[in-house]
Amino acid sequence: MATILLRMPLDAKPKEIYEKLTTSEGINGWWSNHTEGPDGVGSTMKVSFPEAPITFDFEVIEETPGERVAWRCVAGPPEWIGTDLSFDIETAADGNTSVLFRQDGWATTEESFPFIAYSWAQILPRLKTLLETGEATPYFSF
């Protein structure tokens, strides 16, 4: 199984980061501005993308305030289903904060994997912008 793994430094408090990962208002500000949910562990978050005929549905599998958020893709393109996405919020000894993003469970690194990895590398800086400037700049906007 293949994994997408990206670390991004953020000038934000863990609580603020967590809020942008656990509310539709937060997720609408950096990923897609057409998101329903999440509503806590066990809920399903539905994310829509322009020109995509289906929603991507994610079960919220973990929310540890200020530390970690994890989702499992339960509906969407076949290669996405069953992948787990996690955001580990980490504070180093020097006080610097970062998010370690991981998407595990890819069956292959062929087909869409390189494009998705590249897309995440462009999407996550939108989270950084939202947290550091307050400006919502979702990567996917209707």
Side-chain angles (χ1 to χ4, degrees):
M1 295 295 214
T3 300
I4 297 169
L5 186 64
L6 301 164
R7 180 179 301 280
M8 184 176 54
L10 295 165
D11 186 13
K13 304 269 186 240
K15 180 182 177 185
E16 297 166 336
I17 299 166
Y18 178 79
E19 289 172 359
K20 300 304 183 207
L21 298 170
T22 58
T23 65
S24 71
E25 180 182 348
I27 295 165
N28 283 332
W30 61 272
W31 190 12
S32 171
N33 69 350
H34 195 75
T35 301
E36 297 175 23
D39 294 314
V41 173
S43 69
T44 299
M45 174 176 65
K46 295 183 174 292
V47 184
S48 297
F49 303 101
E51 300 179 25
I54 57 173
T55 62
F56 287 51
D57 296 356
F58 299 90
E59 177 187 0
V60 179
I61 56 176
E62 184 177 346
E63 287 185 349
T64 304
E67 295 179 18
R68 187 173 211 284
V69 174
W71 308 322
R72 175 166 297 128
C73 185
V74 294
E79 66 270 21
W80 276 71
I81 296 173
T83 63
D84 290 337
L85 295 80
S86 62
F87 301 82
D88 289 299
I89 304 164
E90 302 173 354
T91 303
D94 63 5
N96 290 325
T97 307
S98 67
V99 168
L100 180 64
F101 168 81
R102 178 185 312 262
Q103 188 174 13
D104 288 317
W106 289 95
T108 179
T109 57
E110 303 298 319
E111 301 168 15
S112 65
F113 181 87
F115 174 75
I116 300 303
Y118 177 72
S119 295
W120 279 118
Q122 295 178 62
I123 294 166
L124 291 175
R126 306 298 180 106
L127 174 61
K128 181 178 181 74
T129 298
L130 179 61
L131 285 160
E132 294 180 0
T133 71
E135 181 182 352
T137 57
Y139 189 78
F140 296 100
S141 186
F142 287 81

